[in-house]
Amino acid sequence: MRGVIGEVEEKLRAHEYKMTPKREHVLCVLLENKDKHLSAEEVYNLVKKKVPDVGLATVYRTLELFSNFDIIQSMDFGDGRKRYEFSTEDKDGHRHHHLICVKCGKIIEMNEDLLEDLEERVTDTYDFTITDHELKIFGKCRECALKMKKP
């Protein structure tokens, strides 16, 4: 975890920002929950357990700052709230995709790039250089689908 904190600190310093203790606490909460897609309110509640005097506005500003410098990425899974995760790109510069259960809200990460052929067609047909894409597929997870089948 120290290595990631150091990398983020360097990135902030390169843009003339400091890694304050409260920013570090927000970062630690994100690192401790990197398998989840936390909302700002969830991040705030987890940080508040460690630092009772942190304000919601501080958490929002920190998340926005981290997002601006591509430390984290924000996304909307259709529930009306931004959710955050660490920015992870593969060697081609693409991020993973998400399967979202419309019944229970479960989010499953998909690391396959299913859009390579489509990207080629778009590039060739429209002379458009694609730098990234995001795919969200909505449906029902296995557990919810099984519950629907039971009498």
Side-chain angles (χ1 to χ4, degrees):
M1 189 183 312
R2 278 276 136 218
V4 174
I5 293 171
E7 288 173 25
V8 171
E9 193 169 8
E10 282 180 36
K11 201 173 241 189
L12 291 176
R13 239 191 337 252
H15 293 91
E16 299 180 10
Y17 285 88
K18 293 180 182 177
M19 176 65 86
T20 65
K22 289 180 182 174
R23 286 178 183 156
E24 187 169 335
H25 283 292
V26 170
L27 182 61
C28 287
V29 162
L30 292 168
L31 285 169
E32 291 162 3
N33 295 279
K34 64 180 164 187
D35 59 330
K36 298 179 180 143
H37 301 84
L38 299 174
S39 68
E41 293 80 10
E42 290 168 327
V43 172
Y44 167 71
N45 289 329
L46 292 168
V47 171
K48 194 152 182 68
K49 287 179 184 177
K50 298 176 181 188
V51 187
D53 68 331
V54 72
L56 182 58
T58 299
V59 172
Y60 271 108
R61 282 192 305 269
T62 301
L63 292 171
E64 189 67 27
L65 180 70
F66 289 172
S67 185
N68 288 343
F69 297 138
D70 205 30
I71 295 163
I72 60 173
Q73 101 183 72
S74 67
M75 58 209 77
D76 182 353
F77 292 121
D79 61 357
R81 299 191 303 176
K82 273 189 183 180
R83 299 194 174 268
Y84 300 89
E85 70 178 1
F86 274 95
S87 291
T88 53
E89 296 179 353
D90 66 17
K91 63 186 180 305
D92 297 325
H94 294 293
R95 297 186 174 108
H96 57 265
H97 306 300
H98 298 93
L99 306 175
I100 301 128
C101 180
V102 295
K103 191 81 173 152
C104 71
K106 181 178 183 177
I107 300 166
I108 302 165
E109 293 186 354
M110 237 177 62
N111 290 316
E112 299 173 63
D113 191 351
L114 305 174
L115 300 178
E116 284 180 28
D117 292 339
L118 178 61
E119 282 188 0
E120 273 184 45
R121 284 196 339 238
V122 167
T123 298
D124 293 344
T125 304
Y126 299 97
D127 194 24
F128 185 82
T129 304
I130 298 171
T131 58
D132 197 5
H133 63 257
E134 181 181 334
L135 177 64
K136 295 181 252 184
I137 300 174
F138 296 87
K140 292 187 181 106
C141 68
R142 179 178 297 140
E143 292 82 12
C144 290
L146 288 173
K147 286 178 192 173
M148 299 286 290
K149 290 181 182 180
K150 291 184 181 179

